[in-house]
Amino acid sequence: MPKTKRRIVFHVDMDHFFTAVEEKVHPEYKGKPVIVGADPKQGKGRGVVSTCNYEARKYGVKSGMPISRAWKLCPHAVYLRPNYELYTQISKRIMTILKRYAESFEQFGIDEAFLDVSSKVANYGEARRLAEKIKKEILENEGLTCSIGVGPNKLVAKIASDTKKPDGLTVVDEENVQQFLSPLPVRKLLWVGRKTEQKLREIGVRTIGDLALCDPSLLVEKFGTIGIQYHLMARGIDKAPVGGSSGIIKSISRDHTFEEDTSDVEEIFRILDSLSQEIYEDLVKQSLYFKTITIKVRYEDFETHTHGKTLSFLTNRLEDIKKNARRLMLPYLEREKRIRLIGVKVSNIVSGAKQKTLT
DNA sequence: TCTGGGGTCCTAGGACCC
DNA sequence: TCTGGGGTCCTAGGACCC
């Protein structure tokens, strides 16, 4: 049996990417708190903060926070709507730089990436120098800083990149994985969110070190098969290959939150049709076909439902999307409650090339 | 604190077939 | 009339990610 190959993996994370791009395009914002997200509307706006720069963070503003709360904390900030086209364009250029240094590569969201550099460097010292070189190149080419984590797998690299920001570089070699992870809260692990953190707290587990000492069978009892994953992660074990999960599109969705909750059927159908239209354009652009369509409704009290149907045929016709979306939506329009959000999703997707072989 | 928008993956129950 | 087990697909909901 061949011994498992030693790996060296980078996680590259752009620093407050959206606001960093905005500051680069608008140098006059430099030094001011900048917040990219929903329109704050004098504190009455709906939606959340996408990204904020470090000046804004000094006021307690964070990404994911309601924009109305950000307004209370920092009314004098520069508030901007996201310019995804610009961010995507710059992201593509950065990813092109990163790919050149990687044996295998995996983009993660718009501004993060994993690089497997195992065959490119001989040891962690060389890995550090390579990471420094990459940071320098991105800064010189794009005027943007990033934070890089280096470790024996994606999990450790990702957590490492998060420990020193902005403009950080954190290297964790195999020998130091356990002592690096142990004191950190479980929340730092990938896939451990608010709910899982709470459930772990109930069994007295707060840090990754606590989790590593846990009886795996107890974790399975509490979380099912994913419990094994938690236990492996807590011991710094992650065999997932870089680039393993990237590529094929599984679903396309659009949703819309109304500025004011509504029961106006005409308005709801108008928006529903425009969401269908956008999905249709996306499908055609990428020559994709779908079989399943699902609508989403969120009422004013945040009660949320999904309702879907799998068709007996593959399609990308606008009429099939519009008609089915409307039909699936109908039963939800008869309630007393007003509607806050509607959405449309298509899934069970195959590409046009593959579709031809199926028909 | 009054909660966006675009995704992925998992689970559980039920239908249906052999 | 009663009683299986396995497999696959569908549907709704939920957790989590950036």
Side-chain angles (χ1 to χ4, degrees):
Chain A
M1 280 289 279
K3 197 166 170 267
T4 317
K5 216 180 117 214
R6 178 223 54 165
R7 292 195 297 161
I8 299 185
V9 175
F10 286 7
H11 178 252
V12 182
D13 189 359
M14 298 306 298
D15 297 320
H16 63 101
F17 185 55
F18 294 178
T19 48
V21 170
E22 294 294 347
E23 284 175 30
K24 203 189 75 172
V25 179
H26 304 280
E28 67 272 22
Y29 297 158
K30 263 261 152 75
K32 293 182 185 169
V34 182
I35 297 170
V36 170
D39 186 343
K41 296 189 175 165
Q42 310 290 316
K44 295 185 167 51
R46 286 194 153 170
V48 298
V49 174
S50 279
T51 314
C52 58
N53 66 359
Y54 284 83
E55 281 77 10
R57 290 179 203 193
K58 285 178 196 160
Y59 294 87
V61 179
K62 286 179 185 165
S63 58
M65 171 183 280
I67 201 77
S68 53
R69 175 126 199 270
W71 181 266
K72 277 184 203 123
L73 293 167
C74 194
H76 61 285
V78 178
Y79 285 88
L80 303 168
R81 251 30 78 241
N83 181 351
Y84 290 107
E85 251 173 72
L86 175 63
Y87 309 151
T88 303
Q89 192 188 324
I90 293 174
S91 163
K92 277 186 184 157
R93 295 207 298 259
I94 292 167
M95 297 302 160
T96 304
I97 293 175
L98 295 178
K99 273 179 205 166
R100 290 211 324 269
Y101 293 101
E103 162 187 341
S104 53
F105 174 85
E106 179 177 339
Q107 188 170 342
F108 195 63
I110 195 171
D111 68 335
E112 298 181 24
F114 292 100
L115 284 65
D116 190 323
V117 300
S118 307
S119 62
K120 308 275 180 183
V121 295
N123 52 51
Y124 278 86
E126 273 186 32
R128 176 184 289 277
R129 285 190 289 281
L130 178 59
E132 279 164 356
K133 188 176 173 208
I134 290 172
K135 282 164 65 77
K136 188 160 169 261
E137 188 169 337
I138 293 174
L139 184 62
E140 283 171 359
N141 282 292
E142 299 296 340
L144 298 170
T145 63
C146 63
S147 298
I148 299 185
V150 181
N153 53 48
K154 288 200 279 186
L155 171 77
V156 174
K158 170 108 172 104
I159 298 173
S161 74
D162 194 47
T163 54
K164 194 162 172 281
K165 285 179 167 188
D167 203 14
L169 173 54
T170 306
V171 180
V172 181
D173 62 32
E174 291 102 335
E175 287 74 49
N176 293 312
V177 165
Q178 228 21 267
Q179 68 180 52
F180 168 70
L181 292 178
S182 283
L184 299 174
V186 285
R187 189 62 195 272
K188 292 277 179 186
L189 290 171
L190 218 52
W191 320 128
V192 174
R194 203 164 42 86
K195 301 273 179 171
T196 307
E197 179 186 38
Q198 182 55 43
K199 279 169 105 179
L200 284 168
R201 189 172 302 168
E202 285 164 16
I203 54 171
V205 172
R206 283 168 188 273
T207 66
I208 297 177
D210 295 339
L211 186 58
L213 292 174
C214 236
D215 179 358
S217 60
L218 175 66
L219 295 172
V220 171
E221 196 182 302
K222 197 133 173 107
F223 299 99
T225 49
I226 190 100
I228 296 284
Q229 280 305 118
Y230 292 152
H231 193 245
L232 287 169
M233 285 198 297
R235 290 180 295 150
I237 299 166
D238 170 24
K239 297 219 155 73
V242 171
S245 59
S246 54
I248 305 146
I249 293 171
K250 304 275 173 58
S251 67
I252 295 173
S253 65
R254 290 287 185 281
D255 43 45
H256 175 85
T257 299
F258 295 100
E259 291 193 5
E260 277 177 45
D261 303 331
T262 181
S263 304
D264 181 343
V265 174
E266 258 181 55
E267 162 85 344
I268 290 167
F269 276 160
R270 195 175 57 76
I271 297 292
L272 198 64
D273 282 351
S274 75
L275 297 175
S276 299
Q277 175 77 32
E278 285 183 38
I279 288 174
Y280 164 72
E281 284 166 15
D282 234 28
L283 286 167
V284 170
K285 209 187 305 171
Q286 306 183 69
S287 62
L288 299 173
Y289 295 76
F290 72 92
K291 261 182 100 167
T292 305
I293 176 163
T294 308
I295 60 101
K296 179 159 82 174
V297 181
R298 176 168 291 154
Y299 291 106
E300 53 192 327
D301 60 359
F302 235 68
E303 184 187 310
T304 306
H305 297 275
T306 60
H307 186 40
K309 176 164 179 51
T310 299
L311 307 173
S312 58
F313 52 90
L314 282 162
T315 177
N316 67 350
R317 290 177 60 224
L318 178 58
E319 274 312 298
D320 289 332
I321 307 172
K322 274 192 186 173
K323 263 201 297 209
N324 282 291
R326 280 179 173 239
R327 201 168 45 77
L328 290 164
M329 182 63 73
L330 275 175
Y332 296 94
L333 303 178
E334 289 158 11
R335 305 266 197 101
E336 288 295 293
K337 282 185 265 190
R338 287 178 302 167
I339 288 173
R340 178 189 177 90
L341 168 149
I342 58 171
V344 184
K345 171 168 88 167
V346 297
S347 53
N348 242 323
I349 287 182
V350 300
S351 81
K354 195 175 171 192
Q355 198 261 344
K356 276 185 199 121
T357 69
L358 289 174
T359 51

